[in-house]
Amino acid sequence: MEVVICSDERQVGEVAADRVISWLEGLVTPVLGLATGSSPIALYDELARRAVLGDIDFSHALGFALDEYVGIDPEHELSYKQTIRRTVVEPLRMDPARVRVPDGSAEDLAAAAEAYDLAIAEAGGVDVQVLGIGSNGHIGFNEPTSSFASRTRVKTLTQQTRDDNARFFSEGEQVPTHCVTQGLGTIMDAKHLIMVVTGEHKADAVAAMIEGPVAAVCPASILQFHQSAVVVLDEAAASKLQYGDYFRHVARHKDGVGELGS
Ligand code: F6R
């Protein structure tokens, strides 16, 4: 796992965008795996800026979101379908018809989840998967104790995740209790993983993911087994890393990386 520690959120976005663009170079139909939430916004903003400049063109890209709430109206502004449209599809100038989000309102959720994995496989697999991390170590909505072999399926959200996400909902609105999420096995099939994390409230989860044992209680720790996983952090999110100085040293002395966000 490569760990890059940045001075602020803006640099996090720049470093992550540089990496994503280098991975996508030369691909005619890139396939993007898309996370929602606050963490990837700096990355999406930077990719959008570069799309406007003409440095990159996402119009032929395919997109697959990580997750969706069960039972939420897909037209609800807080559904992940609408969130992905607002924060990714429109700013990156992607074709909405080429971006899919798991169907959380399907009558047969299990069949819809299976069809989702099949669609990813038919697209040739995800080239670059964007990830955030929950304060409990989840990726996608794979909550602690999720199977490392899991595929897209229905999961029950933990109370901590529902509390964390309550900030997006207005008073009196219930955070959904269930979701459909790509599995850890699905996520690990992506060719490249880019995780973006900011803020001290994520520091414990980040330390457990990078330096802790690989264990289902910290689902993100499975990234230790991925061949091409890059974690881009701000100082606050990196503040509990035992090997923080080592990661800074490596980044400074690795060709190109030290210059990326400076
Ligand atoms: C969202 C997702 C989640 C979030 C995580 C962090 O699609 O997959 O794993 O990445 O909950 O959320 P934020 O970035 O809002 O703190």
Side-chain angles (χ1 to χ4, degrees), residues 20-164:
V20 168
I21 289 170
S22 74
W23 284 330
L24 296 182
E25 211 175 303
L27 297 180
V28 179
T29 310
V31 183
L32 300 175
L34 303 166
T36 58
S38 315
S39 314
I41 296 298
L43 166 61
Y44 295 143
D45 283 352
E46 183 60 18
L47 290 175
R49 198 179 69 82
R50 297 194 198 186
V52 169
L53 288 175
D55 292 352
I56 181 137
D57 176 12
F58 291 105
S59 61
H60 298 292
L62 292 167
F64 289 92
L66 272 177
D67 36 26
E68 177 60 287
Y69 292 120
V70 166
I72 199 165
D73 180 343
E75 299 311 312
H76 190 295
E77 60 168 346
L78 292 180
S79 72
Y80 282 0
K81 183 169 184 214
Q82 298 306 323
T83 306
I84 288 286
R85 177 186 58 73
R86 269 193 320 272
T87 60
V88 187
V89 175
E90 288 172 359
L92 270 58
R93 303 172 169 195
M94 293 177 81
D95 176 354
R98 295 169 77 81
V99 179
R100 263 178 91 152
V101 178
D103 187 352
S105 50
E107 222 164 273
D108 186 340
L109 287 167
E114 202 175 318
Y116 198 71
D117 268 352
L118 197 64
I120 294 175
E122 281 171 358
V126 169
D127 292 304
V128 176
Q129 176 65 57
V130 177
L131 295 170
I133 185 171
S135 56
N136 63 2
H138 73 210
I139 51 174
F141 275 138
N142 294 281
E143 299 287 34
T145 74
S146 288
S147 162
F148 283 165
S150 51
R151 313 302 304 182
T152 302
R153 70 214 183 289
V154 175
K155 282 295 286 181
T156 305
L157 298 173
T158 60
Q159 191 56 47
Q160 186 174 348
T161 296
R162 295 185 67 218
D163 291 346
D164 285 349

Side-chain angles (χ1 to χ4, degrees), residues 106-240:
E107 222 164 273
D108 186 340
L109 287 167
E114 202 175 318
Y116 198 71
D117 268 352
L118 197 64
I120 294 175
E122 281 171 358
V126 169
D127 292 304
V128 176
Q129 176 65 57
V130 177
L131 295 170
I133 185 171
S135 56
N136 63 2
H138 73 210
I139 51 174
F141 275 138
N142 294 281
E143 299 287 34
T145 74
S146 288
S147 162
F148 283 165
S150 51
R151 313 302 304 182
T152 302
R153 70 214 183 289
V154 175
K155 282 295 286 181
T156 305
L157 298 173
T158 60
Q159 191 56 47
Q160 186 174 348
T161 296
R162 295 185 67 218
D163 291 346
D164 285 349
N165 285 7
R167 69 189 193 279
F168 296 116
F169 289 80
S170 45
E171 219 182 301
E173 256 188 322
Q174 293 290 322
V175 182
T177 53
H178 293 77
C179 65
V180 181
T181 179
Q182 285 191 33
L184 292 171
T186 318
I187 292 169
M188 287 293 283
D189 284 346
K191 293 178 193 77
H192 304 282
L193 306 179
I194 185 100
M195 178 183 277
V196 273
V197 196
T198 54
E200 204 186 340
H201 61 301
K202 298 289 179 68
D204 284 319
V206 163
M209 165 182 68
I210 296 172
E211 296 174 345
V214 175
V217 289
C218 179
S221 63
I222 196 175
L223 264 59
Q224 294 180 32
F225 281 130
H226 200 280
Q227 283 195 328
S228 179
V230 178
V231 181
V232 189
L233 305 164
D234 69 356
E235 288 285 351
S239 60
K240 298 209 171 149

